[in-house]
Amino acid sequence: MSYPIRVRATALVIEKDSILLVEYRDEEGVHYNLPGGGVEPGESVTAGVHRELMEETMLEATVGPIAFVYEYAPHLNVQDSGSDIHTLYLVFECTPIEGSRPRFPDRPDGDQSGVRWIPLAELDGIIIYPNIKAHIKQFAAERRTIELIEDHQLEPYPKQVELRELKLDEDNTIYQMIQEIGEGQNGFVNSLYSNEIAEFQAKLRRNFECAQGLNLQEGYVPQTIYWLYVKGKPVGYGKLRHHLNDRLLEHGGHIGYVIRPSARGNGYGNILLREILDAAREKGIPEVLLTCNASNIASRKVIEANQGMLAEMTEDACKYWIQLFS
């Protein structure tokens, strides 16, 4: 039985107390990687380092000794990293060739947004995958090969994006977000909006009970409220109705969501809907209905980006269905 390990050729370029990193920007924000990639068939590891450095940073450099070896072994990781490929990173110290300077490549990777010299003193303020900032600073100080770095022993980053279910004892940051959102707009009713904190706390209790199907008002169905956190800060919230009645079939549907005004324009609406759809799958809901104003183009784009199929459209409203199970 074969057990393949992917070998990744990686460059460590340190010059004038700064490190050369590849910047990536996606819907969860900005993070950095060392330049590198998989070794190609028939290619030596050092040739792979040279090629990857050119492809990602356009820098010509001399490939020197190994700085450290990093191993990602998915069978040892307790946290979901999104990859099941056993990978060995061979990280080589590289020295720029005189006259060669890094720049943004002509054919960048999909999410690549830049090539940056980051001062070593500022490493703690950024996100590097994997989380090897301490090892980079150690090598820069000692200039000697570091023992094997194993991913499952590294300190994990806090989740960048997290969906949290409403609790009875929410802190003041949630109240502040609710007040910033106001009474609602574009068909979304912010029913948690309150004139004072005591009123807000009473509404939290009612919604907590509603999620359990307790003390439902006439015409209401069980509904769970979820907060979207990005980098530890609440940026929006959504409502997931567990099933529909005749009223919700016409207006409201299964899901309603809103992003606080100060966080709009960052793609969080798409993230929030995607996360709530995952929550609906966990509840066994086979398909969900979303309704929105026909003029709300931004909301329609978010729904369509999440595989929403337009079922009905009038001058005022659109109805979209999303299949959650094939």
Side-chain angles (χ1 to χ4, degrees), residues 11 13 20 35 49-59 61:
V13 185
L20 183 65
V49 174
H50 186 272
R51 174 183 53 77
E52 289 288 343
L53 193 57
M54 276 293 297
E55 289 178 356
E56 296 185 351
T57 73
M58 303 301 291
L59 179 70

Side-chain angles (χ1 to χ4, degrees), residues 174-185 188-194 203 237 258-261 264:
I174 292 292
Y175 178 68
Q176 292 172 350
M177 178 181 72
I178 293 299
Q179 299 307 100
E180 180 187 334
I181 291 169
E183 296 181 353
Q185 62 185 94
F188 182 89
V189 177
N190 182 13
S191 55
L192 289 166
Y193 183 71
S194 307
K203 289 182 176 181
Y237 83 96
V258 65
I259 301 298
R260 67 192 303 171
R264 290 172 187 168

Side-chain angles (χ1 to χ4, degrees), residues 146-279:
I146 298 173
E147 294 181 1
L148 176 68
I149 303 169
E150 296 179 274
D151 185 85
H152 66 278
Q153 294 184 342
L154 295 177
E155 184 71 23
Y157 285 111
K159 286 186 177 180
Q160 293 296 291
V161 174
E162 187 177 6
L163 195 70
R164 303 183 189 174
E165 190 172 326
L166 176 147
K167 307 189 307 294
L168 286 173
D169 57 345
E170 297 294 351
D171 61 31
N172 194 52
T173 62
I174 292 292
Y175 178 68
Q176 292 172 350
M177 178 181 72
I178 293 299
Q179 299 307 100
E180 180 187 334
I181 291 169
E183 296 181 353
Q185 62 185 94
N186 292 327
F188 182 89
V189 177
N190 182 13
S191 55
L192 289 166
Y193 183 71
S194 307
N195 292 318
E196 57 183 12
I197 190 69
E199 179 186 357
F200 173 66
Q201 290 171 340
K203 289 182 176 181
L204 284 179
R205 178 169 292 279
R206 286 201 297 272
N207 279 278
F208 181 82
E209 292 176 346
C210 182
Q212 317 303 317
L214 302 174
N215 302 320
L216 292 176
Q217 301 177 42
E218 185 177 353
Y220 281 67
V221 302
Q223 168 185 279
T224 302
I225 284 181
Y226 297 95
W227 318 116
L228 179 68
Y229 281 77
V230 176
K231 298 180 181 178
K233 177 183 177 180
V235 299
Y237 83 96
K239 311 170 184 179
L240 173 61
R241 290 134 195 154
H242 303 183
H243 59 82
L244 302 181
N245 55 25
D246 290 341
R247 178 177 60 84
L248 290 171
L249 275 168
E250 290 304 315
H251 181 74
H254 285 90
I255 297 173
Y257 59 92
V258 65
I259 301 298
R260 67 192 303 171
S262 61
R264 290 172 187 168
N266 295 294
Y268 295 152
N270 188 36
I271 296 173
L272 177 53
L273 178 55
R274 183 188 68 206
E275 294 290 325
I276 296 176
L277 290 172
D278 285 343

Side-chain angles (χ1 to χ4, degrees), residues 293-304:
N293 293 343
S295 60
N296 190 348
I297 303 301
S299 183
R300 291 176 60 183
K301 287 183 177 179
V302 168
I303 296 169
E304 290 167 3

Side-chain angles (χ1 to χ4, degrees), residues 10 35 38 47-48 73 93 113 131 142 235:
T10 308
E93 182 181 11
S113 56
N131 188 7
E142 300 175 359
V235 299

